[in-house]
Coordinates of all heavy atoms in Angstrom, one line a residue:
M1 N 0.8 -1.2 0.0 CA 0.0 0.0 0.0 C 0.9 1.2 0.0 O 2.0 1.2 0.5 CB -0.9 0.0 1.2 CG -2.0 -1.0 1.2 SD -3.1 -0.9 2.7 CE -4.1 0.4 2.2
K2 N 0.3 2.3 -0.5 CA 1.0 3.6 -0.6 C 1.1 4.2 0.8 O 0.1 4.2 1.5 CB 0.3 4.5 -1.6 CG 1.0 5.8 -1.8 CD 0.2 6.6 -2.8 CE 0.9 7.9 -3.0 NZ 0.1 8.8 -3.9
P3 N 2.2 4.7 1.2 CA 2.3 5.4 2.5 C 1.4 6.6 2.6 O 1.2 7.3 1.6 CB 3.8 5.9 2.6 CG 4.5 5.1 1.6 CD 3.5 4.7 0.5
R4 N 0.9 6.9 3.7 CA 0.0 8.1 3.9 C 0.9 9.2 4.3 O 1.8 9.1 5.1 CB -1.0 7.8 5.0 CG -2.0 6.7 4.6 CD -3.1 6.6 5.4 NE -3.9 7.9 5.4 CZ -5.1 8.0 5.7 NH1 -5.8 7.0 6.1 NH2 -5.7 9.2 5.6
R5 N 0.6 10.4 3.7 CA 1.5 11.6 3.9 C 0.7 12.6 4.8 O -0.5 12.9 4.5 CB 1.9 12.2 2.6 CG 2.9 13.3 2.9 CD 3.5 13.8 1.6 NE 4.5 12.8 1.2 CZ 5.4 13.0 0.3 NH1 5.5 14.2 -0.3 NH2 6.3 12.1 0.0
Y6 N 1.3 13.1 5.8 CA 0.8 14.1 6.7 C 1.7 15.3 6.7 O 2.9 15.2 6.6 CB 0.6 13.6 8.1 CG -0.4 12.5 8.2 CD1 0.1 11.1 8.0 CD2 -1.7 12.7 8.5 CE1 -0.8 10.1 8.1 CE2 -2.6 11.6 8.6 CZ -2.2 10.3 8.4 OH -3.0 9.3 8.5
N7 N 1.1 16.5 7.0 CA 2.0 17.6 7.4 C 2.1 17.6 8.9 O 1.4 16.9 9.5 CB 1.5 18.9 6.8 CG 0.2 19.4 7.3 OD1 -0.2 18.9 8.4 ND2 -0.5 20.2 6.6
V8 N 3.0 18.3 9.4 CA 3.3 18.2 10.9 C 2.0 18.6 11.7 O 1.7 18.0 12.7 CB 4.5 19.1 11.2 CG1 4.7 19.2 12.7 CG2 5.7 18.6 10.6
S9 N 1.3 19.6 11.2 CA 0.1 20.1 12.0 C -0.9 19.0 12.0 O -1.5 18.7 13.1 CB -0.5 21.3 11.4 OG 0.4 22.4 11.4
A10 N -1.2 18.3 10.9 CA -2.2 17.2 10.8 C -1.7 16.1 11.7 O -2.5 15.4 12.4 CB -2.4 16.8 9.4
L11 N -0.4 15.7 11.7 CA 0.1 14.6 12.5 C -0.1 15.0 14.0 O -0.5 14.1 14.8 CB 1.5 14.4 12.2 CG 2.2 13.3 13.0 CD1 1.5 11.9 12.7 CD2 3.7 13.2 12.7
R12 N 0.2 16.2 14.4 CA 0.2 16.6 15.8 C -1.3 16.5 16.3 O -1.5 16.1 17.4 CB 0.7 18.1 15.9 CG 0.8 18.5 17.3 CD 1.2 19.9 17.5 NE 2.5 20.2 16.8 CZ 2.7 21.2 16.0 NH1 1.8 22.0 15.7 NH2 3.9 21.3 15.4
A13 N -2.2 16.8 15.5 CA -3.6 16.8 15.9 C -4.1 15.4 16.2 O -5.0 15.2 17.1 CB -4.5 17.4 14.8
D14 N -3.6 14.4 15.5 CA -4.0 13.0 15.6 C -2.9 12.0 15.8 O -3.0 10.8 15.3 CB -4.8 12.6 14.3 CG -6.2 13.0 14.3 OD1 -6.7 13.6 15.3 OD2 -6.9 12.8 13.3
I15 N -1.9 12.3 16.4 CA -0.7 11.5 16.4 C -0.9 10.1 16.9 O -0.4 9.1 16.3 CB 0.5 12.1 17.2 CG1 1.8 11.4 16.9 CG2 0.2 12.2 18.7 CD1 3.0 12.2 17.2
Y16 N -1.7 9.9 18.0 CA -1.9 8.5 18.5 C -2.8 7.7 17.6 O -2.5 6.5 17.4 CB -2.6 8.6 19.9 CG -1.6 9.2 20.9 CD1 -1.9 10.4 21.5 CD2 -0.5 8.6 21.3 CE1 -1.1 11.0 22.4 CE2 0.4 9.1 22.2 CZ 0.1 10.4 22.8 OH 0.9 10.9 23.7
R17 N -3.8 8.3 17.0 CA -4.6 7.6 16.0 C -3.8 7.2 14.8 O -3.9 6.1 14.3 CB -5.8 8.4 15.7 CG -6.8 7.7 14.7 CD -8.0 8.6 14.3 NE -7.5 9.8 13.6 CZ -7.2 9.8 12.3 NH1 -7.1 8.7 11.6 NH2 -6.8 11.0 11.8
V18 N -3.0 8.1 14.3 CA -2.2 7.8 13.1 C -1.2 6.7 13.4 O -1.1 5.8 12.6 CB -1.5 9.1 12.7 CG1 -0.5 8.8 11.6 CG2 -2.5 10.2 12.2
F19 N -0.5 6.8 14.5 CA 0.4 5.7 14.9 C -0.3 4.4 15.1 O 0.2 3.3 14.6 CB 1.2 6.1 16.1 CG 2.3 7.1 15.9 CD1 3.0 7.6 17.0 CD2 2.6 7.5 14.6 CE1 4.0 8.6 16.8 CE2 3.6 8.5 14.4 CZ 4.3 9.0 15.5
D20 N -1.4 4.4 15.7 CA -2.2 3.1 15.9 C -2.6 2.5 14.6 O -2.5 1.3 14.4 CB -3.4 3.3 16.8 CG -3.0 3.5 18.3 OD1 -1.9 3.2 18.6 OD2 -3.9 4.1 19.0
R21 N -3.0 3.3 13.7 CA -3.4 2.8 12.3 C -2.2 2.3 11.6 O -2.3 1.2 11.0 CB -4.1 3.9 11.5 CG -4.5 3.4 10.1 CD -5.1 4.4 9.2 NE -6.2 5.1 9.9 CZ -6.5 6.4 9.7 NH1 -5.8 7.1 8.9 NH2 -7.5 7.0 10.3
A22 N -1.1 2.9 11.7 CA 0.1 2.4 11.0 C 0.5 1.0 11.6 O 0.9 0.1 10.9 CB 1.3 3.4 11.2
L23 N 0.4 0.9 12.9 CA 0.8 -0.4 13.6 C -0.2 -1.5 13.2 O 0.2 -2.6 13.0 CB 0.8 -0.2 15.1 CG 2.0 0.6 15.6 CD1 1.8 0.8 17.1 CD2 3.3 -0.2 15.3
E24 N -1.5 -1.2 13.0 CA -2.5 -2.2 12.7 C -2.4 -2.6 11.2 O -2.5 -3.8 10.9 CB -3.9 -1.6 12.9 CG -4.3 -1.5 14.4 CD -5.6 -0.7 14.6 OE1 -6.3 -0.4 13.6 OE2 -5.9 -0.4 15.8
T25 N -2.2 -1.6 10.3 CA -2.2 -1.9 8.9 C -0.8 -2.3 8.4 O -0.7 -2.9 7.3 CB -2.7 -0.8 8.1 OG1 -1.9 0.4 8.3 CG2 -4.2 -0.4 8.5
G26 N 0.3 -1.8 9.0 CA 1.6 -2.0 8.5 C 2.0 -1.0 7.4 O 3.1 -1.1 6.9
V27 N 1.2 0.0 7.2 CA 1.4 1.0 6.2 C 2.3 2.1 6.8 O 2.0 2.6 7.8 CB 0.1 1.6 5.6 CG1 0.4 2.7 4.6 CG2 -0.7 0.5 5.0
A28 N 3.3 2.5 6.0 CA 4.2 3.6 6.5 C 3.5 4.9 6.6 O 2.5 5.2 5.9 CB 5.4 3.7 5.6
I29 N 4.0 5.8 7.4 CA 3.5 7.2 7.5 C 4.7 8.1 7.0 O 5.8 7.9 7.3 CB 3.3 7.6 9.0 CG1 2.2 6.7 9.5 CG2 2.9 9.0 9.1 CD1 2.1 6.8 11.0
E30 N 4.3 9.1 6.2 CA 5.3 10.1 5.7 C 4.8 11.4 6.3 O 3.7 11.8 6.2 CB 5.3 10.2 4.2 CG 5.9 8.9 3.6 CD 6.0 9.0 2.1 OE1 5.4 9.9 1.4 OE2 6.7 8.1 1.5
V31 N 5.8 12.1 6.9 CA 5.6 13.4 7.5 C 6.4 14.4 6.7 O 7.6 14.3 6.6 CB 5.9 13.4 9.0 CG1 5.6 14.8 9.6 CG2 5.2 12.3 9.7
E32 N 5.8 15.5 6.2 CA 6.5 16.5 5.4 C 6.7 17.7 6.3 O 5.8 18.2 7.0 CB 5.6 16.9 4.2 CG 6.4 17.8 3.3 CD 5.7 18.0 2.0 OE1 4.7 17.3 1.7 OE2 6.0 19.0 1.3
R33 N 8.0 18.2 6.3 CA 8.3 19.4 7.1 C 9.4 20.1 6.4 O 10.4 19.5 6.1 CB 8.8 19.0 8.5 CG 9.2 20.2 9.3 CD 9.3 19.8 10.8 NE 9.9 20.9 11.6 CZ 9.2 21.9 12.1 NH1 7.9 22.0 11.9 NH2 9.8 22.8 12.8
N34 N 9.2 21.4 6.1 CA 10.1 22.2 5.4 C 10.6 21.6 4.1 O 11.8 21.6 3.8 CB 11.3 22.5 6.3 CG 11.0 23.3 7.6 OD1 10.0 24.0 7.6 ND2 11.7 23.1 8.6
G35 N 9.7 21.0 3.4 CA 10.0 20.4 2.1 C 10.7 19.1 2.1 O 11.1 18.6 1.1
R36 N 11.0 18.6 3.3 CA 11.6 17.3 3.4 C 10.6 16.3 4.0 O 9.7 16.6 4.7 CB 12.8 17.4 4.3 CG 13.9 18.3 3.7 CD 15.1 18.4 4.6 NE 15.8 17.1 4.5 CZ 16.8 16.8 5.3 NH1 17.2 17.7 6.2 NH2 17.4 15.7 5.3
V37 N 10.8 15.0 3.7 CA 9.9 14.0 4.1 C 10.6 13.0 5.1 O 11.7 12.5 4.8 CB 9.3 13.2 2.9 CG1 8.5 12.0 3.3 CG2 8.6 14.1 2.0
L38 N 9.9 12.7 6.1 CA 10.4 11.7 7.1 C 9.4 10.6 7.0 O 8.2 10.7 7.1 CB 10.3 12.3 8.5 CG 10.6 11.4 9.7 CD1 12.0 10.9 9.7 CD2 10.2 12.0 11.0
R39 N 9.9 9.4 6.9 CA 9.1 8.2 6.8 C 9.2 7.4 8.1 O 10.2 7.1 8.6 CB 9.5 7.3 5.6 CG 8.6 6.1 5.5 CD 9.0 5.2 4.3 NE 8.4 5.9 3.2 CZ 8.2 5.3 2.0 NH1 8.7 4.1 1.8 NH2 7.6 5.9 1.0
I40 N 8.0 7.1 8.6 CA 7.9 6.2 9.9 C 7.3 4.9 9.4 O 6.2 4.8 8.9 CB 7.0 6.9 10.9 CG1 7.6 8.3 11.3 CG2 6.9 6.0 12.1 CD1 6.7 9.1 12.1
V41 N 8.1 3.8 9.6 CA 7.7 2.5 9.1 C 7.6 1.6 10.3 O 8.5 1.5 11.1 CB 8.7 1.9 8.2 CG1 8.3 0.6 7.6 CG2 8.9 2.9 7.0
P42 N 6.4 0.9 10.5 CA 6.3 -0.1 11.6 C 7.3 -1.2 11.4 O 7.5 -1.7 10.3 CB 4.8 -0.6 11.4 CG 4.1 0.4 10.6 CD 5.2 1.0 9.7
E43 N 7.9 -1.6 12.5 CA 8.8 -2.7 12.5 C 8.1 -4.0 12.3 O 7.0 -4.2 12.9 CB 9.6 -2.7 13.8 CG 10.6 -3.8 13.9 CD 11.4 -3.7 15.2 OE1 10.7 -3.5 16.3 OE2 12.6 -3.9 15.2
A44 N 8.7 -4.9 11.5 CA 8.1 -6.2 11.3 C 8.2 -7.0 12.6 O 9.3 -7.1 13.1 CB 8.7 -6.9 10.1
T45 N 7.1 -7.6 13.0 CA 7.2 -8.4 14.2 C 7.3 -9.8 13.8 O 6.7 -10.3 12.9 CB 5.9 -8.2 15.1 OG1 4.8 -8.5 14.3 CG2 5.8 -6.8 15.5
T46 N 8.1 -10.5 14.6 CA 8.3 -11.9 14.4 C 8.1 -12.6 15.7 O 8.3 -12.1 16.8 CB 9.7 -12.3 13.9 OG1 10.7 -11.8 14.8 CG2 10.0 -11.7 12.5
T47 N 7.6 -13.8 15.6 CA 7.3 -14.6 16.8 C 8.2 -15.9 16.7 O 8.7 -16.2 15.7 CB 5.8 -15.0 16.9 OG1 5.5 -15.8 15.8 CG2 4.9 -13.8 17.0
K48 N 8.2 -16.6 17.8 CA 9.0 -17.9 17.8 C 8.4 -18.8 16.7 O 9.1 -19.5 16.0 CB 9.0 -18.5 19.1 CG 9.8 -17.8 20.1 CD 9.8 -18.5 21.5 CE 10.7 -17.8 22.5 NZ 10.8 -18.5 23.7
L49 N 7.0 -18.8 16.7 CA 6.4 -19.7 15.7 C 6.7 -19.3 14.3 O 6.8 -20.2 13.4 CB 4.9 -19.7 15.9 CG 4.4 -20.5 17.2 CD1 2.9 -20.3 17.4 CD2 4.8 -21.9 17.2
S50 N 6.8 -18.1 14.0 CA 7.0 -17.6 12.6 C 8.5 -18.0 12.2 O 8.8 -18.0 11.0 CB 6.7 -16.2 12.4 OG 7.7 -15.4 13.1
R51 N 9.4 -18.2 13.1 CA 10.7 -18.5 12.8 C 11.0 -20.0 12.7 O 12.1 -20.4 12.4 CB 11.7 -17.9 13.9 CG 11.7 -16.4 13.8 CD 12.8 -15.8 14.7 NE 12.7 -16.3 16.1 CZ 12.2 -15.6 17.1 NH1 11.7 -14.4 16.9 NH2 12.2 -16.0 18.3
L52 N 10.0 -20.8 13.0 CA 10.2 -22.3 12.9 C 10.4 -22.7 11.5 O 9.8 -22.2 10.5 CB 9.0 -23.0 13.4 CG 8.8 -23.0 14.9 CD1 7.5 -23.7 15.3 CD2 9.9 -23.7 15.6
V53 N 11.3 -23.6 11.3 CA 11.6 -24.2 10.0 C 10.9 -25.5 9.8 O 11.0 -26.4 10.7 CB 13.1 -24.5 9.8 CG1 13.5 -25.1 8.5 CG2 13.9 -23.2 10.0
P54 N 10.0 -25.6 8.8 CA 9.3 -26.9 8.6 C 10.3 -28.0 8.3 O 11.2 -27.9 7.6 CB 8.4 -26.6 7.4 CG 8.9 -25.4 6.8 CD 9.8 -24.7 7.7
R55 N 10.0 -29.2 9.0 CA 10.9 -30.3 8.8 C 10.0 -31.5 8.6 O 9.0 -31.7 9.2 CB 11.7 -30.6 10.1 CG 12.6 -29.4 10.4 CD 13.6 -29.7 11.5 NE 14.3 -28.6 12.0 CZ 15.3 -28.0 11.4 NH1 15.8 -28.5 10.3 NH2 15.9 -27.0 11.9
A56 N 10.5 -32.4 7.7 CA 9.8 -33.6 7.5 C 10.2 -34.7 8.5 O 11.4 -34.9 8.7 CB 10.1 -34.2 6.1
C57 N 9.3 -35.2 9.2 CA 9.6 -36.2 10.2 C 9.1 -37.6 9.8 O 9.5 -38.6 10.4 CB 9.0 -35.8 11.6 SG 7.3 -35.7 11.6
L58 N 8.3 -37.7 8.8 CA 7.7 -38.9 8.3 C 7.9 -39.0 6.8 O 7.3 -38.1 6.1 CB 6.3 -39.1 8.7 CG 5.6 -40.3 8.3 CD1 6.2 -41.6 8.9 CD2 4.1 -40.3 8.7
R59 N 8.6 -40.0 6.3 CA 8.7 -40.1 4.9 C 7.9 -41.3 4.4 O 7.9 -42.3 5.0 CB 10.2 -40.3 4.5 CG 11.0 -39.2 5.0 CD 12.4 -39.3 4.3 NE 13.3 -38.4 5.0 CZ 13.5 -37.1 4.7 NH1 12.7 -36.6 3.8 NH2 14.4 -36.3 5.3
G60 N 7.2 -41.1 3.4 CA 6.3 -42.1 2.9 C 4.8 -41.8 3.1 O 4.5 -40.7 3.5
D61 N 4.0 -42.9 2.9 CA 2.6 -42.7 3.0 C 2.2 -43.0 4.5 O 2.4 -44.1 5.0 CB 1.9 -43.7 2.1 CG 0.4 -43.6 2.1 OD1 -0.1 -42.5 2.5 OD2 -0.2 -44.6 1.7
P62 N 1.5 -42.0 5.1 CA 1.1 -42.2 6.5 C 0.1 -43.4 6.6 O 0.0 -44.1 7.6 CB 0.5 -40.9 6.9 CG 0.9 -39.9 5.9 CD 1.3 -40.7 4.7
E63 N -0.7 -43.6 5.6 CA -1.7 -44.6 5.6 C -1.1 -46.0 5.8 O -1.7 -46.9 6.4 CB -2.6 -44.6 4.4 CG -3.6 -43.4 4.4 CD -4.6 -43.5 5.5 OE1 -5.1 -44.5 5.8 OE2 -4.8 -42.4 6.1
S64 N 0.1 -46.2 5.2 CA 0.8 -47.5 5.3 C 1.2 -47.8 6.8 O 1.2 -49.0 7.1 CB 2.0 -47.5 4.4 OG 3.0 -46.6 4.9
I65 N 1.4 -46.8 7.6 CA 1.8 -47.0 9.0 C 0.5 -47.4 9.8 O 0.5 -48.3 10.6 CB 2.4 -45.8 9.6 CG1 3.8 -45.6 8.9 CG2 2.6 -45.9 11.1 CD1 4.5 -44.4 9.3
V66 N -0.6 -46.7 9.5 CA -1.8 -47.0 10.2 C -2.3 -48.4 10.0 O -2.8 -49.1 10.9 CB -2.9 -46.0 9.7 CG1 -4.3 -46.4 10.3 CG2 -2.6 -44.6 10.1
H67 N -2.1 -48.9 8.8 CA -2.6 -50.3 8.5 C -1.5 -51.3 8.5 O -1.6 -52.4 7.9 CB -3.3 -50.2 7.1 CG -4.5 -49.3 7.1 ND1 -5.6 -49.5 7.8 CD2 -4.6 -48.1 6.4 CE1 -6.4 -48.5 7.6 NE2 -5.8 -47.6 6.8
C68 N -0.4 -51.0 9.2 CA 0.7 -52.0 9.3 C 0.4 -53.2 10.2 O -0.2 -53.0 11.2 CB 1.9 -51.2 9.8 SG 3.4 -52.1 9.7
D69 N 0.8 -54.3 9.7 CA 0.5 -55.6 10.5 C 1.8 -56.0 11.2 O 2.8 -56.4 10.6 CB 0.0 -56.7 9.6 CG -0.2 -58.0 10.4 OD1 -0.4 -57.9 11.6 OD2 -0.3 -59.0 9.7
W70 N 1.9 -55.8 12.5 CA 3.1 -56.2 13.3 C 2.9 -57.5 14.0 O 3.8 -57.9 14.8 CB 3.3 -55.1 14.4 CG 3.7 -53.8 13.8 CD1 2.9 -52.8 13.5 CD2 5.0 -53.4 13.5 NE1 3.6 -51.7 13.0 CE2 4.9 -52.1 13.0 CE3 6.3 -54.0 13.7 CZ2 6.1 -51.4 12.6 CZ3 7.4 -53.2 13.3 CH2 7.3 -52.0 12.8
S71 N 1.9 -58.3 13.7 CA 1.7 -59.5 14.4 C 2.8 -60.5 14.2 O 3.1 -61.4 15.1 CB 0.4 -60.2 14.0 OG 0.4 -60.4 12.6
T72 N 3.6 -60.5 13.1 CA 4.7 -61.4 12.9 C 5.9 -61.0 13.7 O 6.8 -61.8 13.9 CB 5.0 -61.6 11.4 OG1 5.3 -60.3 10.9 CG2 3.8 -62.2 10.7
E73 N 6.0 -59.7 14.0 CA 7.2 -59.2 14.7 C 7.1 -59.1 16.2 O 8.1 -59.1 16.9 CB 7.5 -57.7 14.2 CG 7.6 -57.6 12.7 CD 9.0 -58.2 12.3 OE1 10.0 -58.2 13.0 OE2 9.0 -58.7 11.2
W74 N 5.9 -59.2 16.7 CA 5.7 -59.0 18.1 C 5.0 -60.2 18.7 O 4.1 -60.8 18.2 CB 4.7 -57.8 18.3 CG 4.4 -57.5 19.8 CD1 5.1 -56.9 20.7 CD2 3.1 -57.8 20.4 NE1 4.5 -56.8 21.9 CE2 3.2 -57.4 21.7 CE3 1.9 -58.4 20.0 CZ2 2.2 -57.5 22.6 CZ3 0.9 -58.5 20.9 CH2 1.1 -58.1 22.2
T75 N 5.6 -60.6 19.8 CA 5.0 -61.7 20.6 C 4.8 -61.3 22.0 O 5.7 -60.7 22.6 CB 5.9 -63.0 20.6 OG1 7.2 -62.7 21.0 CG2 6.0 -63.6 19.2
P76 N 3.7 -61.5 22.6 CA 3.4 -61.0 24.0 C 4.2 -61.8 25.0 O 4.5 -63.0 24.7 CB 1.9 -61.3 24.2 CG 1.5 -62.2 23.1 CD 2.5 -62.1 22.0
D77 N 4.6 -61.2 26.0 CA 5.4 -61.9 27.1 C 4.4 -62.9 27.8 O 3.3 -62.6 28.0 CB 5.9 -60.9 28.1 CG 7.0 -60.1 27.5 OD1 7.7 -60.5 26.6 OD2 7.2 -58.9 28.0
P78 N 5.0 -64.0 28.2 CA 4.1 -65.0 28.8 C 3.8 -64.7 30.3 O 4.3 -63.9 30.9 CB 4.9 -66.3 28.8 CG 6.3 -66.0 28.4 CD 6.3 -64.6 27.8

């Protein structure tokens, strides 16, 4: 999305609402002062779950394990 641009007076009037909206949407804010632009960008948040690397722990068809016959390999203790 395109950053929203404010002049200093408009930002000062609604600074908390503007910052909250930027945090919720992730859209940057541009503030213009004396012909120069300052960009405020929300930091990307990461969680432990988002940093997990997917790993394969089972290779093959899971259905073959469910219907596996172990009767020839296992004998109950007397």
Side-chain angles (χ1 to χ4, degrees):
M1 290 182 79
K2 184 178 176 183
R4 295 193 60 157
R5 185 169 286 192
Y6 296 89
N7 63 25
V8 175
S9 297
L11 179 64
R12 186 181 304 130
D14 278 357
I15 193 163
Y16 294 112
R17 185 183 58 78
V18 171
F19 284 172
D20 287 342
R21 183 183 302 146
L23 289 172
E24 289 171 8
T25 63
V27 177
I29 299 167
E30 292 181 347
V31 182
E32 188 173 345
R33 178 165 171 85
N34 296 332
R36 297 181 69 189
V37 176
L38 170 69
R39 180 177 279 196
I40 302 170
V41 181
E43 184 178 38
T45 57
T46 58
T47 63
K48 288 182 180 181
L49 288 177
S50 68
R51 292 189 305 261
L52 285 177
V53 177
R55 302 188 190 278
C57 60
L58 179 63
R59 299 192 193 278
D61 182 23
E63 289 297 316
S64 66
I65 294 174
V66 172
H67 301 292
C68 188
D69 181 18
W70 291 91
S71 61
T72 59
E73 302 290 327
W74 178 76
T75 55
D77 290 333

